[in-house]
Amino acid sequence: MANVLFVDDDPENVWPLALALESHGHRVSVVADASAAMAFMRREFVQCLITDYQMPDIDGIKLCQMVRASPTIAGLPVVLLSAAPEPDGCPRCWTRFLRKPVQVGQLIEAVDAYIAERLTVARSPCRHAAGRFQYLSAARWAPVNSACGP
């Protein structure tokens, strides 16, 4: 399950895709513009950003540039959506481009792939007998004891 932020000024485009992602187990938050997206990402932990390209005021490419310029979220995977062809007149600062109308399976596959990629390395190292540090993949993490916690 991942925290996904969806940015689009047209709710008719967002809701079917957001519902599909939620039914696949992701937590989806929706905002209508780039300013709200940046404010949201300052408050909440986001693991994947999906944004429309053509929006009023700040478009999806400018939002991608703002994300890449922010040290705390610069590595965030960004999926850029557009009914137009993929932009080629600027540096590519998004992770994946999908053309509208988006196939739900493609979007779910993209989000799952980027989330899995980010989870393959544990944050804390494990010391092995040889004295070297090695990072454990997510598949080898110990299960969480549900009896522990606040």
Side-chain angles (χ1 to χ4, degrees):
M1 181 166 126
N3 291 325
V4 177
L5 179 59
F6 212 123
V7 186
D8 198 322
D9 59 318
D10 186 357
E12 289 181 21
N13 290 336
V14 174
W15 293 114
L17 297 173
L19 289 173
L21 286 168
E22 286 180 346
S23 70
H24 198 67
H26 299 295
R27 182 176 161 243
V28 180
S29 301
V30 178
V31 296
D33 60 47
S35 297
M38 291 303 290
F40 184 89
M41 289 185 285
R42 281 192 289 274
R43 294 186 319 269
E44 301 285 332
F45 176 69
V46 174
Q47 293 169 289
C48 185
L49 173 66
I50 303 169
T51 183
D52 184 30
Y53 169 39
Q54 297 170 328
M55 295 185 293
D57 299 325
I58 301 172
D59 68 17
I61 292 176
K62 180 65 177 164
L63 174 59
C64 291
Q65 293 168 346
M66 292 165 60
V67 166
R68 298 296 178 240
S70 178
T72 57
I73 56 174
L76 185 68
V78 179
V79 178
L80 183 66
L81 307 177
S82 180
E86 185 170 8
D88 61 355
C90 60
R92 191 172 194 261
C93 53
W94 52 92
T95 313
R96 177 119 184 236
F97 176 84
L98 295 175
R99 187 114 186 235
K100 290 180 180 181
V102 177
Q103 294 180 2
V104 172
Q106 268 189 315
L107 184 62
I108 290 171
E109 179 184 298
V111 171
D112 287 349
Y114 297 129
I115 298 308
E117 184 179 303
R118 291 175 62 109
L119 293 176
T120 56
V121 177
R123 292 286 183 210
S124 59
C126 272
R127 188 177 290 275
H128 283 259
R132 287 179 271 152
F133 285 100
Q134 179 177 344
Y135 290 93
L136 292 178
S137 70
R140 299 190 60 198
W141 291 350
V144 175
N145 181 350
S146 62
C148 296

